[in-house]
Amino acid sequence: MFIKYIKQYKFIALLFIIFVAIFWLILFLYNSDVEAVLYATFLCFFLTTILIIIHFNHFIKKHKNLQKCIDKANQYPLLINEELPVNTNIIEEDYNAIIQTILVNYKNQHAKAETSRLDMIDYYSTWVHQIKTPIAAMRMKLQMEDTDSNRALLTDLFHIEQYVEMVLCYIRLDSESSDLVLKNYNIDTILKESIHKHAGEFVHKRLSLEYKQTNRRILTDEKWLSFIVDQVLFNAIKYTKKGSITILLNDEDILIIRDTGIGISSEDLPRIFEKGYTGYNGRFHKKSTGLGLYLSKKVANKLSCRMWVESELGKGTSVYIDLHKAQLELE
């Protein structure tokens, strides 16, 4: 830091050296008393050293204050103006004027962007709720007659409902409000509701379900945990042509949803939670949006749940949701 300080004020240091050189040049030219010049030179060095120490301490304090401003600017950019140190010279006033101009422009752009974001959220929220009405009407009409064609259409309609829920989840996740209602819920109620939603899919694909009632209560948010379970089950059914899907809660309160589907390659496994990443199977089967697991992971983070996946290509996939971790962090 001292080296940086010297570099910043090198012109003053150079000027001081020049003055000392002039001092000694006059001594040489006029054959002045050496002791008098040495005394004057020593006195100048002494006073300069004291002034440098005082000024350097001021320099360090100002640097630390500016570092704090940088840290706060990363968290609260709109409040940075309140944290800036007092100007001590005209150059700092010029820099401060530049910051003020940038800050005003930023505030204006931020206000416009926030208004636009809120308008978009309102629009899509309204759209989601409006689209549910015709979906419900179509479901009722298709259920009036039990035919192979109607069952296939009901399956497609169920997929549409899932994608609509994904849209609603997507716009709510970045909301400034937490939107969390944490209570002790019976995990069986949440799981049975998701199983009931996917019952038609199980029947249509002739998949067996292995599920044993747990009679356990978990501290969580029912709506958000239901979304995760729905998305994981949706993927499990989608990528399982035959076999079974297992749902269980182990003794450590880790929810496991396991399928006997096509699995995930080892190359794709580290990236499955990335936004828009579909992997080889998603591209090959052309059924994946790359959003289901991404949103599920974001929701899990919101609930303070650890979520991970184990899979082997051609042998199935297991999704783990650590509900015990959420309870520990909340306590």
Side-chain angles (χ1 to χ4, degrees):
M1 186 57 65
F2 186 73
I3 292 172
K4 291 181 180 180
Y5 172 79
I6 294 297
K7 286 182 178 180
Q8 181 170 334
Y9 295 99
K10 59 185 176 183
F11 176 76
I12 297 175
L14 180 63
L15 196 62
F16 178 78
I17 293 171
I18 291 173
F19 285 160
V20 171
I22 291 173
F23 240 54
W24 283 93
L25 182 61
I26 291 172
L27 165 69
F28 177 75
L29 293 175
Y30 289 93
N31 296 317
S32 301
D33 185 9
V34 176
E35 288 186 5
V37 177
L38 282 173
Y39 178 76
T41 303
F42 173 76
L43 189 61
C44 287
F45 269 111
F46 178 74
L47 292 174
T48 302
T49 302
I50 293 175
L51 290 173
I52 287 175
I53 291 172
I54 294 172
H55 192 261
F56 180 68
N57 285 333
H58 176 72
F59 176 82
I60 290 293
K61 289 179 181 178
K62 196 165 190 177
H63 173 70
K64 289 180 178 178
N65 287 336
L66 288 172
Q67 287 294 319
K68 290 179 181 178
C69 287
I70 292 172
D71 295 336
K72 289 185 178 180
N74 291 328
Q75 297 179 357
Y76 311 105
L78 295 177
L79 300 178
I80 184 60
N81 186 44
E82 301 174 5
E83 304 294 334
L84 290 173
V86 178
N87 302 324
T88 57
N89 56 59
I90 192 169
I91 299 299
E92 289 187 359
E93 288 179 4
D94 292 338
Y95 281 128
N96 191 51
I98 293 172
I99 292 172
Q100 295 294 335
T101 303
I102 294 172
L103 191 59
V104 169
N105 291 332
Y106 174 80
K107 286 181 178 179
N108 292 335
Q109 293 296 325
H110 182 269
K112 290 179 182 177
E114 184 64 13
T115 301
S116 177
R117 188 184 72 85
L118 291 175
D119 288 342
M120 183 192 69
I121 290 175
D122 288 340
Y123 171 78
Y124 280 110
S125 297
T126 303
W127 176 85
V128 166
H129 290 298
Q130 287 179 339
I131 203 69
K132 285 184 176 181
T133 302
I135 288 175
M138 285 188 285
R139 178 172 293 281
M140 288 181 63
K141 291 175 182 177
L142 290 171
Q143 288 176 339
M144 292 175 66
E145 189 176 352
D146 187 18
T147 64
D148 291 339
S149 176
N150 280 18
R151 282 196 292 269
L153 288 172
L154 282 170
T155 298
D156 292 334
L157 194 61
F158 176 73
H159 292 169
I160 293 172
E161 286 179 309
Q162 290 298 109
Y163 294 134
V164 168
E165 287 299 323
M166 286 171 63
V167 170
L168 194 59
C169 172
Y170 190 82
I171 60 177
R172 282 178 175 172
L173 270 177
D174 293 326
S175 173
E176 293 182 359
S177 61
S178 62
D179 195 28
L180 289 175
V181 181
L182 296 173
K183 292 182 181 179
N184 279 304
Y185 292 98
N186 188 325
I187 189 67
D188 293 307
T189 303
I190 297 173
L191 294 175
K192 285 178 181 179
E193 186 176 342
S194 288
I195 292 169
H196 179 71
K197 286 181 185 177
H198 295 82
E201 290 279 275
F202 277 103
V203 174
H204 178 69
K205 299 191 75 171
R206 302 178 187 276
L207 299 175
S208 62
L209 173 67
E210 296 179 18
Y211 168 67
K212 185 178 179 181
Q213 190 162 310
T214 63
N215 295 318
R216 304 250 283 281
R217 301 186 72 83
I218 298 293
L219 181 64
T220 188
D221 180 279
E222 183 180 26
K223 179 185 67 179
W224 287 116
L225 182 59
S226 294
F227 176 83
I228 297 175
V229 175
D230 284 346
Q231 290 300 316
V232 174
L233 268 181
F234 182 64
N235 279 347
I237 295 170
K238 182 165 59 174
Y239 292 112
T240 304
K241 294 181 179 179
K242 60 180 180 178
S244 64
I245 292 174
T246 303
I247 302 174
L248 61 94
L249 186 71
N250 66 16
D251 294 335
E252 297 177 348
D253 285 341
I254 297 177
L255 179 63
I256 305 169
I257 300 177
R258 182 178 294 123
D259 64 63
T260 57
I262 59 177
I264 304 169
S265 67
S266 56
E267 294 83 4
D268 290 331
L269 202 55
R271 300 185 60 189
I272 58 173
F273 292 118
E274 292 181 13
K275 182 180 179 181
Y277 187 76
T278 58
Y280 171 77
N281 287 331
R283 292 189 297 271
F284 180 77
H285 294 274
K286 298 180 181 180
K287 294 179 180 180
S288 178
T289 61
L291 289 177
L293 285 177
Y294 163 76
L295 291 173
S296 298
K297 180 68 172 177
K298 289 198 71 174
V299 171
N301 292 339
K302 191 170 185 174
L303 293 173
S304 298
C305 297
R306 194 163 67 96
M307 182 177 177
W308 71 98
V309 174
E310 295 177 358
S311 183
E312 188 175 348
L313 196 62
K315 293 186 178 180
T317 300
S318 297
V319 179
Y320 299 84
I321 305 162
D322 190 352
L323 301 176
H324 177 252
K325 185 175 185 292
Q327 295 187 76
L328 287 175
E329 292 193 1
L330 285 164
E331 288 172 1

